[in-house]
Amino acid sequence: DQVNQLGRVDAVIHNAGIILRDFTNNNAIVSPDGKITFIDFEMAFDVTEDVAVYGGTMGFASPQQLMRERPTFADDYYALGALIFDALVLNVRYLTLNPKGLNRMLDQLIRGMKLPHVVKDIILGLMDEDVETRWTPQQALQALKQSESCAETTCVEENGGDIKAEVEATVKGVT
C-alpha cells in the first residue's frame, strides 16, 4: 500500500507539471496511520521553467540528471526503478560504485529470492541509462501484465508477499 501511495503521489505531481528529481525512499515520511508525505522538494523542477537546481541522490538520480541535462519525467521513472530495486536490496546507492553490476546483481536476486524474471526486466527498463529507451511506468505495467512467468497464482514470494501486486501497484500509481 505504501509503495502504491508513493506512485500515486508522484503521478499527481507529474500531472501538475512537476518533476521530483529526488524521488527516493529518504524523502517520504510515513505517519503512524500509514499515510505518506513527501519532503525535500528543493530539487523539484517545474516543466514550464528554464532554471533547474542540479544534483541528486546517488543511486536514484538518472545519468542525465547527474550530467546536468534538462530535467524530464524520465528522471523520475529511473528513480522508480531504483526504488523497486532498493526495496529488494535495501541499499541502491552501491550502484554508483559499479553501475554495470546491476544486471549480475538482479540475476542473483531473481534466483535467490525466486522472483519472476519480469521484475528484472522492469527494473532494467526503468533504469535504462538511455533516456530514449528508458521505460515509462506504462511500459513496465504492460510487461508485468504480459509476463507468462508471473501468473496470478504463481507470483508469490516464499514469505507470502505478492511481488506482482506490489510492483503493479507501484507502476500503476505513477501512470
Side-chain angles (χ1 to χ4, degrees):
D1 182 50
Q2 291 172 347
V3 176
N4 188 28
Q5 282 184 62
L6 284 172
R8 283 184 280 144
V9 170
D10 189 47
V12 167
I13 292 169
H14 281 187
N15 287 338
I18 304 295
I19 302 166
L20 288 173
R21 301 186 63 245
D22 205 14
F23 187 33
T24 72
N25 57 351
N26 290 330
N27 289 337
I29 296 175
V30 182
S31 68
D33 66 353
K35 181 181 177 191
I36 295 177
T37 303
F38 274 100
I39 60 169
D40 202 6
F41 283 91
E42 76 270 2
M43 299 294 300
F45 178 74
D46 182 333
V47 296
T48 64
E49 300 291 328
D50 289 326
V51 179
V53 175
Y54 292 100
T57 301
M58 298 307 284
F60 293 91
S62 72
Q64 294 74 28
Q65 186 172 343
L66 294 175
M67 296 293 292
R68 301 176 57 112
E69 293 180 13
R70 181 176 172 82
T72 68
F73 292 115
D75 294 329
D76 284 352
Y77 303 158
Y78 183 94
L80 176 61
L83 277 167
I84 295 169
F85 182 63
D86 189 68
L88 297 174
V89 298
L90 303 177
N91 191 354
V92 74
R93 288 176 181 88
Y94 92 91
L95 282 177
T96 58
L97 301 173
N98 182 13
K100 301 299 181 197
L102 176 62
N103 199 28
R104 186 175 44 237
M105 173 67 119
L106 284 171
D107 284 337
Q108 293 171 354
L109 284 170
I110 297 300
R111 279 193 307 273
M113 296 176 77
K114 297 182 170 99
L115 298 173
H117 189 77
V118 70
V119 173
K120 176 183 175 182
D121 295 339
I122 289 170
I123 292 169
L124 290 177
L126 289 167
M127 294 183 72
D128 191 325
E129 291 183 7
D130 184 349
V131 72
E132 297 298 321
T133 55
R134 184 172 304 145
W135 286 13
T136 64
Q138 295 89 343
Q139 287 171 295
L141 186 57
Q142 186 64 28
L144 188 62
K145 287 179 180 176
Q146 290 178 349
S147 173
E148 293 178 6
S149 66
C150 196
E152 294 285 334
T153 58
T154 62
C155 190
V156 178
E157 278 186 293
E158 286 181 346
N159 68 4
D162 188 342
I163 294 292
K164 179 179 184 285
E166 187 168 335
V167 171
E168 187 172 35
T170 302
V171 172
K172 194 173 206 174
V174 179
T175 58

